[in-house]
Amino acid sequence: MTRHFLRDDDLSPAEQREVLDLAARLKRDRFAERPLEGQKTAAVIFDKTSTRTQVSFSVGVADLGGNPLIMDSKNSQMGGKESVSDTAKVLSRMVELIVWRTYAHAGLVEMAEHATVPVINSLSDDFHPCQILADLQTIAERKGELAGLTATYVGDAANNMGHSYLLGFATAGMHIRVAGPDGFHPRADIVADAERIAAETGGSVSILTDPVAAVSGSDVVITDTWVSMGQEDEKAARIATFGAYRVTAELMAHAREDAIFMHCLPAYREYEVAPEVIDGPQSVVWDEAENRVHAQKALMTWLLKESE
Ligand code: CP
Ligand code: NVA
């Protein structure tokens, strides 16, 4: 059966551990896995802009022995011209993997329904699961065992990162708290899924409004942009709404003394995070960015193996 990775909970807790173990091994031994030797091709398609995702998949596919085909959907027949299902069938005849960054998550679901090769979500409006694997790898490097740690995400708790932290961190057995203003809390069905997973892994899920209460005693403090791709028209209103959720040294002081700070990047130092935090000693954002390469190489290797 072809395996896909569209949401964080497409990997069971045991499967997520396997992928993270492989990511750690590939970080130590860069060319240890060569599933795309040949050279086979992975299509990496962008409907939205990217630096990290574009570069980490390009480097990762090449490290696995393959050829990364970076496609800007605007220069293809995708979108208004050709259906997702026809695109999935055509690409499946030519490439070994489809990686897609898009807007509506439903497009990825449709792509996976019609593709006969693994489909990877490299960010949709609802989830960013590849980022969460890199984040878990980074936390494990700093803290050891993931299960039992408390991580808090503050800011736009209704966006793709908020949703993915709920599912991915609950899968890892962590206590995940997300805090945002009223009207910017995560989708109820995703919270319910995360709670069900946490009940199985020994983690927990808390949805909060007060950023200070949320951060108190946390091992990990995380934020993301207040204006995600596709929300540019709402920028002024969003900046006015999220001001109290800016991660400053003062907010970080409520977390554990040895807490780490994370951000998927790109970061806006004038808004969601103060320079003294993201550029300070608690920040692990550059490791987090690098780990996109290792985590995604592990994911691609694992999906290809499971789909044989
Ligand atoms: N974090 C992340 O996905 O970065 P890019 O948008 O640059 O790919
Ligand atoms: N929430 C952000 C993440 C960017 C990597 C966005 O969707 O734009």
Side-chain angles (χ1 to χ4, degrees):
M1 189 186 68
T2 307
R3 292 291 300 262
H4 307 288
F5 189 56
L6 308 186
R7 300 171 38 130
D8 308 81
D9 55 351
D10 285 341
L11 293 178
S12 71
E15 291 172 344
Q16 186 193 68
R17 264 195 304 278
E18 280 178 39
V19 171
L20 292 175
D21 287 348
L22 182 53
R25 185 156 67 78
L26 284 168
K27 189 166 184 172
R28 291 192 301 272
D29 188 359
R30 179 171 171 181
F31 301 110
E33 297 283 349
R34 303 278 289 173
L36 294 172
E37 192 80 77
Q39 196 186 34
K40 296 172 183 168
T41 294
V44 189
I45 311 164
F46 290 93
D47 297 348
K48 293 174 175 170
T49 51
S50 162
T51 296
R52 276 145 293 273
T53 303
Q54 199 171 159
V55 176
S56 59
F57 271 105
S58 298
V59 170
V61 168
D63 282 3
L64 298 179
N67 166 48
L69 173 65
I70 303 293
M71 292 172 64
D72 178 342
S73 63
K74 285 191 282 298
N75 301 326
S76 79
Q77 311 291 12
M78 289 177 73
K81 293 181 247 172
E82 188 167 19
S83 68
V84 171
S85 56
D86 284 3
T87 305
K89 288 171 196 163
V90 170
L91 291 179
S92 295
R93 296 289 182 100
M94 300 184 186
V95 304
E96 308 301 312
L97 280 163
I98 300 169
V99 182
W100 189 16
R101 166 169 287 197
T102 190
Y103 290 88
H105 189 75
L108 277 155
V109 173
E110 195 181 348
M111 183 77 88
E113 263 166 26
H114 296 278
T116 55
V117 298
V119 175
I120 296 175
N121 174 6
S122 58
L123 184 146
S124 66
D125 288 343
D126 294 343
F127 304 101
H128 194 4
C130 290
Q131 181 70 54
I132 268 53
L133 291 177
D135 286 24
L136 289 171
Q137 180 174 9
T138 309
I139 297 167
E141 287 170 354
R142 298 288 174 148
K143 302 278 174 200
E145 186 66 30
L146 292 170
L149 293 173
T150 298
T152 300
Y153 169 77
V154 293
D156 183 3
N159 76 4
N160 41 19
M161 293 307 300
H163 289 156
S164 274
Y165 283 122
L166 285 171
L167 295 179
F169 282 24
T171 300
M174 294 170 67
H175 304 294
I176 172 68
R177 303 174 182 166
V178 303
D182 288 335
F184 295 91
H185 282 172
R187 243 170 52 195
D189 62 301
I190 296 169
V191 175
D193 288 340
E195 282 170 344
R196 183 182 41 73
I197 296 165
E200 193 188 314
T201 60
S204 66
V205 172
S206 309
I207 312 300
L208 303 156
T209 304
D210 177 3
V212 172
V215 161
S216 289
S218 290
D219 299 289
V220 183
V221 177
I222 314 167
T223 193
D224 181 26
T225 181
W226 296 337
V227 188
S228 285
M229 290 179 275
Q231 300 172 337
E232 291 80 4
D233 291 350
E234 302 165 25
K235 182 172 175 181
R238 285 177 160 270
I239 285 162
T241 303
F242 289 107
Y245 295 83
R246 174 174 166 84
V247 180
T248 57
E250 198 187 333
L251 186 63
M252 280 301 289
H254 294 277
R256 282 175 58 105
E257 212 176 319
D258 61 354
I260 55 173
F261 170 77
M262 305 185 79
H263 190 310
C264 66
L265 308 176
Y268 301 88
R269 286 168 173 76
E270 66 276 42
Y271 300 128
E272 75 272 8
V273 60
E276 72 260 22
V277 174
I278 191 166
D279 301 316
Q282 288 170 288
S283 174
V284 296
V285 297
W286 313 122
D287 291 342
E288 185 183 0
E290 179 194 329
N291 285 340
R292 291 290 301 280
V293 176
H294 312 299
Q296 289 161 190
K297 283 169 67 181
L299 175 70
M300 289 187 279
T301 302
W302 190 90
L303 288 173
L304 287 166
K305 209 168 278 175
E306 292 295 316
S307 301
E308 274 170 4

